[in-house]
């Protein structure tokens, strides 16, 4: 029995040994298996991370969409932009029932072009060359569109579209500009030219009055200011009659650039030492102006500035090498400023003329047209501008829509020296 028991134990021990021996290789294979599994997973994870980074870079790499987004954000966060856009949508319908009328000179006549219908209406016939004689050659519609005032030769006239009458305004002065919302206007009365005098000191006697009148009561006028001290010429006047740009000339000699005058005190306001001023345009609320340097006989590189009427808080709206802004005009709603930039090589050698519009805070500077183009007028609703483009010896007129960006040629061609008689007003 002991032998059998011993034999049984030997068999059991042998079986256990074999089992352990067989189990050891299995355990030995599992360690490499774990390493083999972990290594590819780590490599795959690294590849995924690389792919993920690459995907992110591809998403960021197109810089144009990012820049566009930034630009759009800047426009959206401008304090005035959402208001302006909303106002545009409310007061500027796509179909304009009253697109207004444009005055111009052609073939010895002063005409009016009705924008909505395309019809032309002769207003006044004059002698050849008669338009050259006026101190202030111009034609301007009244704010309500009922009147068209114009200076031809040495006479001033007012066309009344409601009655069909042409009023001889000459006894009351030279028309200068409209003010208010109806029939009120500013006129110039007095000596505005140099006489043949022997003693140049006598030119101090030359002076003129700025007066305010109402077309409906021309016999009554109110004095705005008396401008004396020699030969002087008005450049612009604020709608409230408080500010004016006036140049200072000496008889039979060159004129200085225009300067800003405070009319109630007859004081000249000096610009800041760091800027040059030579011409001015006032906003419709008379609180703000744009100005630029302008020489008599040549061009000068200068920015276009905007400031309060006393030069406070001035900023540069436009500046370019070898370029001079000219003929800046506020839109009737004061939300835009249009101007022409003259590009030159030296002195009077022009290389181009371009038309621009810009917001009063200097944003949204937009080029409209080059190719020797000039800003002419704003539409009464401030949604469009009228500009001319030189084509041979004439200037072709175009309408640019600032909302859609479209440009349309209108059937009006004018000679370059008659541009002062072009204006865009409402229909009466």
């Amino acid at each position: 029995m002991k032998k059998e028991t011993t034999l049984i134990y030997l068999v059991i021990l042998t079986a256990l040994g074999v089992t352990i021996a067989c189990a050891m290789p299995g355990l030995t294979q599992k360690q490499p298996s774990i390493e083999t599994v972990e290594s590819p997973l780590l490599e795959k994870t690294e590849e995924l991370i690389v792919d993920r980074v690459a995907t992110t870079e591809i998403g960021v790499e197109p810089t144009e969409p990012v820049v566009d987004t930034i630009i759009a954000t800047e426009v959206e966060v401008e304090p005035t932009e959402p208001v302006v856009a909303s106002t545009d949508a409310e007061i500027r319908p796509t179909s304009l029932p009253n697109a207004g009328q444009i005055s111009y000179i052609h073939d010895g006549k002063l005409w009016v072009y009705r924008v909505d219908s395309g019809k032309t209406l002769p207003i006044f016939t004059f002698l050849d060359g008669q338009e050259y004689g006026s101190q202030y050659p111009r034609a301007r519609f009244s704010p309500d569109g009922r009147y068209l005032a114009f200076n031809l030769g040495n006479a001033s006239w007012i066309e009344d579209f409601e009655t069909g009458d042409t009023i001889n305004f000459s006894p009351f002065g030279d028309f200068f500009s409209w003010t208010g919302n109806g029939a009120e206007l500013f006129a110039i009365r007095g000596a505005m030219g140099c006489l043949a005098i022997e003693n140049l000191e006598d030119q101090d006697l030359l002076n003129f009055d700025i007066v305010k009148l109402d077309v409906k009561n021309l016999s009554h006028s109110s004095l705005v200011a008396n401008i004396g001290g020699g030969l002087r010429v008005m450049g612009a006047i604020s709608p409230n009659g408080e500010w004016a740009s006036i140049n200072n000339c000496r008889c039979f000699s060159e004129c200085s650039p225009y300067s800003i005058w405070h009319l109630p005190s007859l004081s000249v306001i000096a610009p800041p030492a760091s800027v040059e001023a030579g011409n001015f345009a006032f906003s419709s609320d008379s609180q703000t102006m744009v100005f630029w340097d302008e020489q008599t006989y040549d061009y000068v590189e200068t920015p276009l500035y905007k400031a309060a009427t006393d030069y406070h808080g001035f900023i540069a709206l436009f500046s370019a090498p070898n370029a001079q802004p000219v003929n800046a005009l506020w839109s009737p709603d004061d939300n835009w400023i249009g101007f022409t930039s003259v590009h030159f090589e030296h002195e009077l050698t022009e290389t181009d003329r371009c038309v621009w519009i810009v917001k009063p805070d200097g944003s949204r500077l937009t080029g409209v047209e080059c190719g020797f183009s000039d800003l002419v007028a704003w539409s009464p609703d401030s949604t469009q501008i009228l500009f001319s483009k030189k084509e041979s010896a004439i200037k072709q007129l175009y309408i640019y829509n600032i909302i859609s960006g479209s440009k349309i040629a209108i059937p009006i061609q004018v000679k370059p020296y008659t541009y002062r008689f072009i204006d865009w007003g409402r229909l009466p």
Side-chain angles (χ1 to χ4, degrees):
M1 290 296 295
K2 291 183 180 179
K3 289 182 180 180
E4 291 178 1
T5 303
T6 303
L7 181 60
I8 291 171
Y9 287 149
L10 288 174
V11 171
I12 292 171
L13 289 173
T14 302
L16 287 173
V18 172
T19 302
I20 294 171
C22 291
M24 290 299 294
L27 292 173
T28 308
Q29 290 174 0
K30 285 184 180 180
Q31 294 301 327
S33 175
I34 293 173
E35 291 177 0
T36 305
V37 171
E38 285 185 354
S39 179
L41 282 175
L42 290 174
E43 290 176 3
K44 188 174 182 180
T45 304
E46 290 173 356
E47 289 175 1
L48 287 174
I49 292 173
V50 171
D51 289 343
R52 197 169 295 147
V53 172
T55 304
T56 305
E57 289 176 350
I58 292 173
V60 177
E61 188 176 354
T63 57
E64 292 182 359
V66 174
V67 172
D68 288 344
T69 303
I70 293 173
I71 293 174
T73 303
E74 290 177 350
V75 172
E76 290 172 2
V77 299
E78 281 185 20
T80 58
E81 291 306 317
V83 177
V84 173
S86 175
T87 302
D88 290 346
E90 292 173 3
I91 69 172
R92 297 174 181 174
T94 54
S95 175
L96 298 176
N98 187 338
Q101 52 188 344
I102 296 172
S103 64
Y104 66 101
I105 282 182
H106 177 69
D107 195 24
K109 292 184 178 66
L110 179 65
W111 300 80
V112 163
Y113 171 75
R114 299 291 169 84
V115 179
D116 55 347
S117 65
K119 294 180 179 180
T120 56
L121 176 68
I123 299 298
F124 194 83
T125 303
F126 55 92
L127 299 175
D128 187 30
Q130 189 178 6
E131 72 272 18
Y132 302 129
S134 175
Q135 182 77 23
Y136 300 103
R138 68 186 64 199
R140 295 291 182 268
F141 289 100
S142 62
D144 59 6
R146 173 175 174 175
Y147 303 101
L148 175 64
F150 52 96
N151 301 328
L152 285 171
N154 294 317
S156 290
W157 310 85
I158 296 178
E159 180 74 13
D160 187 339
F161 292 106
E162 186 173 300
T163 64
D165 297 331
T166 302
I167 304 167
N168 185 354
F169 185 72
S170 302
F172 309 99
D174 283 11
F175 166 78
F176 189 79
S177 66
W178 295 95
T179 181
N181 297 318
E184 293 180 327
L185 57 86
F186 293 119
I188 308 298
R189 266 196 316 229
M192 292 174 286
C194 285
L195 304 175
I197 54 179
E198 294 183 4
N199 186 357
L200 293 182
E201 296 300 323
D202 292 340
Q203 69 181 327
D204 291 338
L205 302 176
L206 297 176
N207 65 81
F208 63 87
D209 291 335
I210 305 173
V211 295
K212 185 177 181 180
L213 302 100
D214 192 313
V215 178
K216 298 177 182 179
N217 186 15
L218 290 174
S219 60
H220 175 74
S221 64
S222 58
L223 178 67
V224 177
N226 174 262
I227 308 299
L231 175 64
R232 302 189 190 277
V233 179
M234 283 263 293
I237 187 170
S238 62
N240 66 358
E242 185 177 1
W243 307 90
S245 65
I246 301 174
N247 72 357
N248 182 19
C249 303
R250 301 287 290 179
C251 287
F252 314 108
S253 63
E254 295 183 6
C255 295
S256 64
Y258 285 87
S259 55
I260 187 75
W261 285 48
H262 182 244
L263 295 179
S265 62
L266 291 180
S267 57
V268 180
I269 311 300
S274 58
V275 302
E276 297 290 338
N279 218 327
F280 303 82
F282 298 98
S283 60
S284 63
D285 64 4
S286 302
Q287 302 303 309
T288 317
M289 64 182 181
V290 289
F291 62 95
W292 61 97
D293 193 9
E294 191 167 330
Q295 303 298 321
T296 304
Y297 297 110
D298 56 5
Y299 298 119
V300 58
E301 182 180 312
T302 176
L304 176 67
Y305 294 102
K306 187 215 73 173
T309 45
D310 60 356
Y311 290 108
H312 178 73
F314 71 91
I315 60 171
L317 302 178
F318 170 86
S319 181
N322 296 326
Q324 174 181 312
V326 297
N327 192 30
L329 299 173
W330 288 82
S331 62
D333 62 6
D334 288 342
N335 281 327
W336 290 94
I337 298 163
F339 64 96
T340 301
S341 63
V342 180
H343 302 263
F344 57 92
E345 288 182 355
H346 55 83
E347 295 181 352
L348 293 177
T349 306
E350 292 187 18
T351 58
D352 205 354
R353 282 176 173 255
C354 299
V355 177
W356 304 80
I357 59 173
V358 65
K359 285 288 189 178
D361 63 358
S363 65
R364 298 179 66 177
L365 177 65
T366 304
V368 176
E369 187 76 7
C370 287
F372 292 93
S373 300
D374 282 281
L375 175 69
V376 178
W378 280 94
S379 65
D381 66 354
S382 303
T383 65
Q384 302 173 98
I385 63 170
L386 184 68
F387 71 91
S388 65
K389 190 169 186 177
K390 185 178 180 181
E391 297 179 2
S392 64
I394 57 93
K395 287 193 173 186
Q396 173 66 52
L397 295 182
Y398 293 84
I399 292 177
Y400 170 76
N401 189 304
I402 66 173
I403 299 175
S404 67
S406 63
K407 302 171 188 175
I408 302 174
I410 59 176
I412 298 178
Q413 295 179 339
V414 298
K415 294 180 180 179
Y417 54 81
T418 64
Y419 75 95
R420 292 182 181 271
F421 293 95
I422 305 173
D423 192 37
W424 195 343
R426 297 185 181 277
L427 288 174

